[in-house]
């Protein structure tokens, strides 16, 4: 058993996180129930309302801190809408803090840099999240997401990973609810396609959809081309063209 450090200060409360402007150290005032879960009186509710109002006014020491809280809230909202892991949301929040420290927010909208931070973090992790998917939950356009990403990449140097067809196979296979055997075979096909250079200059999502379709055909459990093309956000002719290339390779 380890001895306690007598100089250590005990800490209570939630875990520190960069996803909140105060890193999670501030207090939160409740609403209509007390510490024991009982409903409070109307007089107490009015008092809590006044306390929350004054608390909100005192939380931010500057406009920059208020903008940071807005941006981090946007990143958390977008990440939740896209079902992204909390660790990625925290990493995107930390990237936004770096952008604010580098004065990249000046002249640009908070929402654009927030969306760009989330997209850049997905790129850095090699996750198949295209710009239009980020824009679908963001409060800015797809072009603005790209502009925010370029500003971050230019000034902070984003170490973006290459998104391959194999990455998309895992995601599309899960969304299409195909069997593990089909997904495993599709992953092998995507690996061969990458090694043979078939994916060069091709949309990796289209190649992945074609791999899943070919794997399904081989195992007699093929979903429709229309279904896979919709999941991959590519046209049916694109999927069919990649399918023909894969059959020639096989």
């Amino acid at each position: 058993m380890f001895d306690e450090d007598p100089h250590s200060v005990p800490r209570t409360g939630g875990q520190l996180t960069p996803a909140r402007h105060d890193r999670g150290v501030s207090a939160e005032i409740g609403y209509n129930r007390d510490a024991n879960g009982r409903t409070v009186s109307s007089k107490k509710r009015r008092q809590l309302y006044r306390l929350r109002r004054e608390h909100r006014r005192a939380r931010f020491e500057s406009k920059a801190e208020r903008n940071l809280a807005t941006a981090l809230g946007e990143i958390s909202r977008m990440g939740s809408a896209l079902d992204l892991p909390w660790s990625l949301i925290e990493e995107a929040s930390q990237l936004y803090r770096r952008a604010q420290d580098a004065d990249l927010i000046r002249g640009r909208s908070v929402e654009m840099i927030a969306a760009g931070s989330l997209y850049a973090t997905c790129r850095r992790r090699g996750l198949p999240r295209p710009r239009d998917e980020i824009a679908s939950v963001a409060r800015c356009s797809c072009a603005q997401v790209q502009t925010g990403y370029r500003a971050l990449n230019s000034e902070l140097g984003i170490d973006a990973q290459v998104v391959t067809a194999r990455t998309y196979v895992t995601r599309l296979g899960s969304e299409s609810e195909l069997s593990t055997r089909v997904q495993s075979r599709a992953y092998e096909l995507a690996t061969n396609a990458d090694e043979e250079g078939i994916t060069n200059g091709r949309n990796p999502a289209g190649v992945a959809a074609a791999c899943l379709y070919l794997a399904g055909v081989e195992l007699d459990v093929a979903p429709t081309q229309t279904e896979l093309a919709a999941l991959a956000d590519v046209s049916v002719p694109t999927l069919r063209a990649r399918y023909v290339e894969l059959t020639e390779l096989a």
Side-chain angles (χ1 to χ4, degrees), residues 175-228:
E175 291 180 354
S176 61
E177 298 182 350
L178 291 169
S179 67
T180 304
R181 290 177 61 229
V182 174
Q183 294 185 46
S184 178
R185 174 56 181 157
Y187 193 88
E188 292 177 3
L189 292 170
T191 300
N192 293 336
D194 285 335
E195 292 175 351
E196 295 295 330
I198 290 180
T199 56
N200 293 342
R202 303 283 195 269
N203 184 344
V207 177
C211 290
L212 286 166
Y213 181 72
L214 177 56
V217 169
E218 292 178 352
L219 298 173
D220 297 325
V221 288
T224 64
Q225 294 183 3
T226 303
E227 178 186 352
L228 284 174

Side-chain angles (χ1 to χ4, degrees), residues 108-123:
R108 301 181 176 94
S109 72
V110 169
E111 293 79 9
M112 181 177 73
I113 300 300
S117 298
L118 192 64
Y119 176 61
T121 305
C122 290
R123 290 288 305 272

Side-chain angles (χ1 to χ4, degrees), residues 19-33:
R20 291 184 57 180
H21 80 283
D22 54 9
R23 298 189 182 274
V25 298
S26 66
E28 293 292 339
I29 300 176
Y31 283 79
N32 301 326
R33 294 186 182 277

Side-chain angles (χ1 to χ4, degrees), residues 30-239:
Y31 283 79
N32 301 326
R33 294 186 182 277
D34 61 16
N36 297 317
R38 294 190 295 265
T39 303
V40 299
S41 65
S42 58
K43 179 181 179 181
K44 180 66 70 174
R45 283 199 296 269
R46 289 193 296 271
Q47 183 181 5
L48 289 174
Y49 173 78
R50 291 193 296 270
L51 287 173
R52 283 196 303 271
R53 182 184 61 195
E54 297 304 319
H55 180 62
R56 283 195 299 269
R57 291 175 178 175
R59 288 178 70 184
F60 310 111
E61 296 181 357
S62 64
K63 183 179 179 181
E65 191 173 353
R66 185 181 297 275
N67 288 341
L68 177 62
T70 300
L72 299 184
E74 276 294 288
I75 291 173
S76 295
R77 182 190 63 81
M78 291 185 291
S80 298
L82 295 173
D83 198 24
L84 295 173
W86 181 248
S87 61
L88 189 146
I89 293 173
E90 289 188 318
E91 188 176 335
S93 300
Q94 190 62 44
L95 179 60
Y96 184 91
R97 289 174 179 273
R98 289 179 57 200
Q100 188 179 59
D101 292 341
D103 203 23
L104 299 183
I105 317 301
R106 186 185 300 275
R108 301 181 176 94
S109 72
V110 169
E111 293 79 9
M112 181 177 73
I113 300 300
S117 298
L118 192 64
Y119 176 61
T121 305
C122 290
R123 290 288 305 272
R124 187 153 60 183
R125 288 199 176 192
L127 293 181
R129 296 290 184 173
R131 291 188 305 273
D132 54 355
E133 187 174 2
I134 301 292
S136 67
V137 298
R139 292 190 170 96
C140 59
S141 65
C142 185
Q144 288 176 311
V145 174
Q146 178 66 9
T147 300
Y149 169 75
R150 285 177 177 171
L152 293 168
N153 190 33
S154 174
E155 298 297 328
L156 302 180
I158 306 301
D159 185 19
Q161 302 296 316
V162 177
V163 178
T164 65
R166 285 170 289 182
T167 309
Y168 273 100
V169 162
T170 303
R171 177 185 169 194
L172 296 178
S174 176
E175 291 180 354
S176 61
E177 298 182 350
L178 291 169
S179 67
T180 304
R181 290 177 61 229
V182 174
Q183 294 185 46
S184 178
R185 174 56 181 157
Y187 193 88
E188 292 177 3
L189 292 170
T191 300
N192 293 336
D194 285 335
E195 292 175 351
E196 295 295 330
I198 290 180
T199 56
N200 293 342
R202 303 283 195 269
N203 184 344
V207 177
C211 290
L212 286 166
Y213 181 72
L214 177 56
V217 169
E218 292 178 352
L219 298 173
D220 297 325
V221 288
T224 64
Q225 294 183 3
T226 303
E227 178 186 352
L228 284 174
L231 287 175
D233 196 23
V234 298
S235 65
V236 174
T238 296
L239 186 152

